[in-house]
Amino acid sequence: MTTTLTEAWARVRAALDTHAPSTARAVRAPAGMDDIAEAQSVMRQTFPEAVREQLLLFDGAEPNPVTSVLLPPLYIPVGLQRMQMLWQRKRSTSPVPAGGDSAVAGEPCRGFHPLLVPIGDDTTGDLLVVDNRPGELQGSVLTWSRDDGLFGTPTWRSVTEMWADVASALETGSARGTADDGDPHLTRNGCAAVFTADGILEWEF
């Protein structure tokens, strides 16, 4: 059983190296502690421990919507530079409305609350974010929509749970175009991993 983020990520990397080497090559090298500290200063918060740990494992993936969609259904993991850019852009274009938004983790919010940390980008305006607002659900992973803001319940309770879920899907994924009688693991948002002949990870949903 996976108990740590490091273990979950090792499972993901092993599956990518075996079944989706093109996607594996899109994963970037780890970020440095100084760069993480600078990003926290820019974003005026201390990231949840799991976010910092993820960045020390890898600094996101190359922003390629074909090869780099590691997170279901259509999200590219973002590194520190893009994380800061997205945070600043969303703070500017989707400010917290007059009267404010809830400051409690897991609660809906119409604007982009400053304590949301972008970790996944679908390149159309929707994000996966870690909710860094205080509360029982602090550290959970949710969808932030450019149209609706933060809505629904968290998809994953933590970054560690998210990557463990992805690892299980990759380990039971199938090759594109093959008749597979297996039982693929569906992620918490209902996606199955598929590997193309070009060594690219895709998600069926």
Side-chain angles (χ1 to χ4, degrees):
M1 175 180 290
T2 298
T3 58
T4 70
L5 177 55
T6 298
E7 291 171 342
W9 178 245
R11 291 170 59 201
V12 169
R13 279 308 308 245
L16 291 177
D17 289 341
T18 301
H19 303 293
S22 295
T23 295
R25 287 191 292 271
V27 176
R28 300 175 62 183
M33 289 294 296
D34 289 345
D35 293 328
I36 294 173
E38 181 180 351
Q40 290 180 125
S41 177
V42 169
M43 295 168 65
R44 301 192 292 276
Q45 60 182 302
T46 299
F47 297 153
E49 181 178 353
V51 172
R52 297 195 302 273
E53 184 179 353
Q54 176 179 306
L55 290 165
L56 291 171
L57 290 169
F58 72 106
D59 189 25
E62 298 300 328
N64 186 320
V66 175
T67 61
S68 302
V69 181
L70 275 74
L71 292 168
L74 295 168
Y75 294 101
I76 301 169
V78 300
L80 278 171
Q81 185 175 8
R82 188 159 183 81
M83 178 187 292
Q84 294 172 79
M85 182 273 290
L86 289 168
W87 183 86
Q88 292 170 325
R89 178 184 296 172
K90 296 301 185 184
R91 292 287 298 131
S92 174
T93 60
S94 301
V96 173
D101 263 330
S102 175
V104 178
E107 293 288 331
C109 60
R110 291 165 289 168
F112 191 85
H113 196 281
L115 290 178
L116 299 179
V117 182
I119 62 166
D121 177 18
D122 76 349
T123 73
T124 72
D126 294 346
L127 305 173
L128 277 183
V129 298
V130 173
D131 197 339
N132 201 21
R133 294 174 294 175
E136 183 179 350
L137 294 177
Q138 186 176 39
S140 57
V141 181
L142 305 95
T143 299
W144 189 90
S145 164
R146 62 178 179 176
D147 298 321
D148 302 312
L150 203 62
F151 63 95
T153 59
T155 307
W156 295 281
R157 180 60 185 82
S158 67
V159 170
T160 299
E161 181 182 279
M162 177 185 73
W163 284 115
D165 194 26
V166 168
S168 294
L170 297 184
E171 290 166 347
T172 60
S174 61
R176 170 73 68 199
T178 61
D180 191 345
D181 296 328
D183 186 18
H185 172 86
L186 298 182
T187 61
R188 290 286 299 274
N189 50 3
C191 298
V194 175
F195 308 111
T196 73
D198 295 326
I200 296 170
L201 167 64
E202 296 181 348
W203 295 100
E204 287 189 342
F205 51 95

